[in-house]
Every structure is written in structure tokens, then in C-alpha cells.
Amino acid sequence: MGHYDASGIKVLDRAVSIMVTVAHQPRSLTELCEATELPRATAHRLATALEAHRILARTAEGKWTIGPTLTSIGARSKNHLIEAASPTMTALMERTGESVQLYQLTGTSRTCIAALEPSSGLQNTVPIGSRMPLTAGSAAKVFLAYASPDLRENILPQASFDAAALDEVRSRGWADSIGEREVGLSSLSAPITDSAGEFLAVLSLSGVSERLRPSPGELWGAAIVDSARRLSQAL
């Protein structure tokens, strides 16, 4: 996390470095200095200033974490994303007859922020708010394919896939998995980006492996890429 010279405005780059670091997990001053490679006095001064603006807050243990200002901005953008995704998710569910989910990155996990279930057939329910690891499943592959190098290096050694699988995701625009996270279940995922091409979220469909033969990607790869593209354009 020591590379904080992206814009050339030193104080801003250092402040952003602190925000990104505590977004992954709450940090004490010592942990913050280690992760950002900032001098102790500088890290303390900037974190305290960000806390005054409620961009950072303190946990019960006194560690810095993301504050209410960023949380409320994040909630507004999340609601906008869910509203924009609703028609695309409905169309994908009706076309495939499978469950459809929308995931966002939450530190070192992914969280389901929206989900639709077909009214009939064997269902694969993912409750909204479910947090899942980034070590298995098609959505995890998409998140790591577009993640920061730090996050990728942190998670890949424990993952059920390797760096070559992530290269494949980037080249074809989707990832699938068969019984990777749960035996008998398969899934297919594609990335959602905003108008500037920034990676925002993952659109997924999932269902019983029997129904998604020969593989989810062969069956619905083109459909999910098309849906993800449409949603990205709507944003």
C-alpha cells in the first residue's frame, strides 16, 4: 500500500492511501503505518483529520475504520446500482430460469446486495446481505480478476483457482464454476462497470449443476455478458 503518488498531490494521495487501507479492515496506528509505509506522525495527523470529517471513525478497540460520511455515500450509490440492475436481472432470470444475484466487494469478501428467484423449479436462494469468501465460485473469480494487486496476492494462495483462470476471465468477459463453492451447484458471473469503465459489481446466475450442463458458460455465457453490458450502459 506504499504507492501513494497517483495524482502527484502528496497530501491527497496519502489520505486516499489511508482510506483504502482501512476499507479493507480496521487498523491501529501501527498497522496503518505498516500498510501505507507512512511516517507515524503523518499517518496519525491525516487519520485524525479524516476522522474530524467523519470519513474515518474508530472501532470499540480504537482502530480506524470507514466513517459515516463514506458509508452514506456508498449506500446511495448501492441503491442506485440496485435500481438500475433490477430490469436487467429480471430479464436474465426470465430468460434462463435460474436465480440471479448482484454482488459487491466488501473488504476481503463479497456481499449479495440484490437477488431474484424464479417462481418455479429447484431454487438456489442467496439471501440479500450474505457475505461469501473470495476463494471459490464464479463471482469470486471475477472480483479477483479485476481486484487491486494487493487483494489478489492476499487471496489467491488460498483460492480454489489460479492466476491463469483470472487471465481467462479478463479475456472472455465471464467466469463459471461447477460445484466449487457448494457441491451440486453451479454459477456464472460477469463484471459490471460504470461509464468510465471502473469495475463496480458482479452479476451472477446460479442453479443446480444438472440444469447447467455441459457448463454454465457454454449455456449462458453470451447471455450474461450481454446483460452485464446492458447494465453497465444503463449506469
Side-chain angles (χ1 to χ4, degrees):
M1 297 296 301
H3 314 292
Y4 41 80
D5 54 355
S7 74
I9 302 169
K10 190 183 277 186
V11 68
L12 176 63
D13 292 333
R14 286 174 162 183
V16 169
S17 174
I18 288 170
M19 286 153 58
V20 169
T21 300
V22 303
H24 282 302
Q25 64 188 78
R27 309 269 186 166
S28 66
L29 180 58
T30 303
E31 290 164 343
L32 197 55
C33 293
E34 281 173 13
T36 59
E37 296 171 23
L38 286 169
R40 195 175 178 87
T42 305
H44 186 265
R45 189 177 76 248
L46 289 174
T48 306
L50 290 167
E51 194 182 342
H53 285 284
R54 304 180 73 202
I55 287 169
L56 297 192
R58 300 277 194 138
T59 65
E61 302 88 55
K63 293 187 174 190
W64 276 293
T65 187
I66 289 297
T69 301
L70 284 187
T71 308
S72 66
I73 293 167
R76 284 200 296 276
S77 68
K78 184 172 93 170
N79 290 340
H80 170 63
L81 177 60
I82 293 167
E83 279 171 31
S86 186
T88 303
M89 290 176 70
T90 303
L92 185 63
M93 179 190 69
E94 287 171 353
R95 183 175 173 185
T96 62
E98 302 298 347
S99 304
V100 177
Q101 301 87 28
L102 191 63
Y103 292 100
Q104 271 192 317
L105 187 67
T106 43
T108 54
S109 65
R110 54 184 166 108
T111 298
C112 177
I113 61 166
L116 289 175
E117 302 293 333
S119 55
S120 62
L122 284 164
Q123 293 182 5
N124 166 41
T125 306
V126 178
I128 292 168
S130 302
R131 286 177 81 127
M132 296 178 185
L134 295 176
T135 48
S138 64
K141 289 175 194 167
V142 176
F143 277 115
L144 286 195
Y146 296 93
S148 68
D150 278 355
L151 184 60
R152 197 159 44 240
E153 283 162 24
N154 183 11
I155 302 287
L156 255 185
Q158 296 99 51
S160 58
F161 44 83
D162 59 12
L166 304 184
D167 292 338
E168 214 173 292
V169 172
R170 284 188 291 268
S171 68
R172 68 189 179 188
W174 55 262
D176 67 0
S177 68
I178 300 166
E180 207 172 275
R181 195 178 57 79
E182 207 174 311
V183 175
L185 286 181
S186 293
S187 68
L188 175 67
S189 298
I192 306 297
T193 57
D194 64 12
S195 56
E198 289 289 312
F199 174 61
L200 283 184
V202 172
L203 179 66
S204 294
L205 70 81
S206 58
V208 180
S209 298
E210 277 294 310
R211 271 205 315 268
L212 291 167
R213 288 186 164 178
S215 75
E218 280 185 61
L219 203 55
W220 298 117
I224 202 163
V225 167
D226 180 51
S227 296
R229 193 179 293 125
R230 278 208 307 274
L231 176 49
S232 296
Q233 284 166 353
L235 292 166

